[in-house]
Amino acid sequence: MSQSFSEETHRNMLSRIPHCTGRDISDWLRTVDEGPALVRFDEKVSWLRGAHNLSHGHAKAIVHEHDLRRAARKF
């Protein structure tokens, strides 16, 4: 499962996450890295929602950004 909103919406969502959660995106990306070794996108989103009380949209944006950055590192 991948993101279903536009790139612009994704960037807007990311810009609001620090205000809404009190944590920077880099902190959230590190949390995903250090979290359980989940493979599927929706598993990671569900884990963030349950373990960290995030909204579905915020969790989805964080996981999508994590996947984008991980893919960029592989190049």
Side-chain angles (χ1 to χ4, degrees):
M1 180 178 188
S2 65
Q3 93 168 17
S4 59
F5 39 75
S6 72
E7 186 62 27
E8 180 182 357
T9 300
H10 174 66
R11 293 288 157 214
N12 288 336
M13 182 77 77
L14 286 180
S15 71
R16 289 190 307 264
I17 287 173
H19 174 73
C20 295
T21 67
R23 293 177 61 186
D24 289 332
I25 294 300
S26 61
D27 290 339
W28 285 114
L29 297 176
R30 197 168 26 261
T31 297
V32 175
D33 277 338
E34 295 170 354
L38 302 170
V39 177
R40 292 181 19 208
F41 183 90
D42 56 336
E43 291 175 324
K44 294 175 192 176
V45 171
S46 293
W47 172 72
L48 280 175
R49 290 182 70 202
H52 297 281
N53 198 32
L54 291 175
S55 71
H56 181 76
H58 288 155
K60 191 173 167 183
I62 291 165
V63 173
H64 181 65
E65 185 67 17
H66 181 267
D67 289 350
L68 286 174
R69 292 185 188 194
R70 185 182 61 203
R73 286 191 300 250
K74 290 183 179 180
F75 284 118

